[in-house]
Amino acid sequence: MGWQIIDKQQLYNGQKIKLEVHHLQDDETLKRAKREVVVHPGAVVVLPILDPKTETILLIRNRRYAINQILLELPAGTLEKNEDPLNCAGRELLEETGYLAGRIKPMLNFFSSPGILSEKMYAFVAYDLEQSSAVLDPAEEIEPLSTTISDAIQMIRDGRIHDGKTIATLLMYERFFRGT
């Protein structure tokens, strides 16, 4: 089946997202369908390695308004228009943690919720960190927390880490990138 967009309605156009309704038609059967799509420019998530010898990393406690909870997460943020994901990773790391990375290495990319959301996440590992100053957005409530990779994996196992991008990035790192 080859579904084609025959009409697109934009219901909302915000600073970070658009909400669209796509009207589709199948080329063969001429059946029609609708899909509600949240259009997002993409985002990054960064695994900051504070000390490679002790495998100490940096998480953040981040108050998430949409769910009214404080989550343990890796630093992350939305791509600005035409921004390279690598540049965004460095910017978000500095803004949310106050650390500059000497090296940032791409790890993987994935779609966070492709059933309704176009957001593509780019995951990076940041090395050779140097303390600077955080530059939080006015509405952000973020507190850094250092821990080890092993402890972070245990936090996933026992349910203290609920954030999907953080879970995916930490498990991917532990399974495929640890020690590289």
Side-chain angles (χ1 to χ4, degrees):
M1 283 192 226
W3 292 93
Q4 301 296 320
I5 296 175
I6 56 173
D7 189 28
K8 190 187 297 188
Q9 294 172 278
Q10 188 175 96
L11 303 178
Y12 175 76
N13 186 8
Q15 290 182 346
K16 288 192 178 189
I17 64 160
K18 291 185 222 174
L19 179 57
E20 298 177 348
V21 177
H22 294 190
H23 299 270
L24 310 172
Q25 182 171 303
D26 182 87
D27 289 338
E28 295 174 18
T29 65
L30 301 181
K31 287 184 182 178
R32 292 187 175 207
K34 285 194 305 188
R35 295 289 185 265
E36 296 170 350
V37 179
V38 178
V39 180
H40 188 282
V44 300
V45 56
V46 183
L47 172 55
I49 308 291
L50 285 172
D51 185 344
K53 291 177 187 156
T54 61
E55 294 192 312
T56 303
I57 65 167
L58 192 62
L59 296 173
I60 58 172
R61 286 186 181 93
N62 192 1
R63 177 173 297 283
R64 290 298 188 175
Y65 175 81
I67 59 170
N68 194 29
Q69 290 184 29
I70 296 173
L71 296 182
L72 288 174
E73 304 178 10
L74 290 170
T78 301
L79 290 163
E80 293 178 359
K81 188 173 182 163
N82 300 319
E83 185 178 26
D84 182 87
L86 181 65
N87 292 341
C88 182
R91 177 178 55 78
E92 288 294 340
L93 178 65
L94 179 61
E95 286 178 7
E96 294 189 354
T97 70
Y99 280 93
L100 288 166
R103 280 186 306 136
I104 299 178
K105 183 176 175 181
M107 196 167 52
L108 76 147
N109 59 68
F110 57 93
F111 292 97
S112 57
S113 186
I116 61 164
L117 178 62
S118 69
E119 178 185 46
K120 186 174 189 177
M121 298 283 313
Y122 299 86
F124 295 89
V125 184
Y127 301 96
D128 307 327
L129 302 183
E130 187 178 306
Q131 183 73 55
S132 186
S133 299
V135 187
L136 297 176
D137 288 339
E140 288 182 316
E141 295 177 49
I142 293 175
E143 177 188 339
L145 168 73
S146 62
T147 189
T148 64
I149 291 283
S150 297
D151 286 347
I153 299 301
Q154 181 59 42
M155 290 179 206
I156 294 169
R157 187 178 291 116
D158 65 26
R160 286 180 283 163
I161 293 179
H162 301 275
D163 178 62
K165 69 185 175 305
T166 299
I167 293 169
T169 302
L170 286 170
L171 293 177
M172 187 73 172
Y173 178 83
E174 183 205 32
R175 179 71 171 91
F176 298 109
F177 290 88
R178 198 177 203 173
T180 60

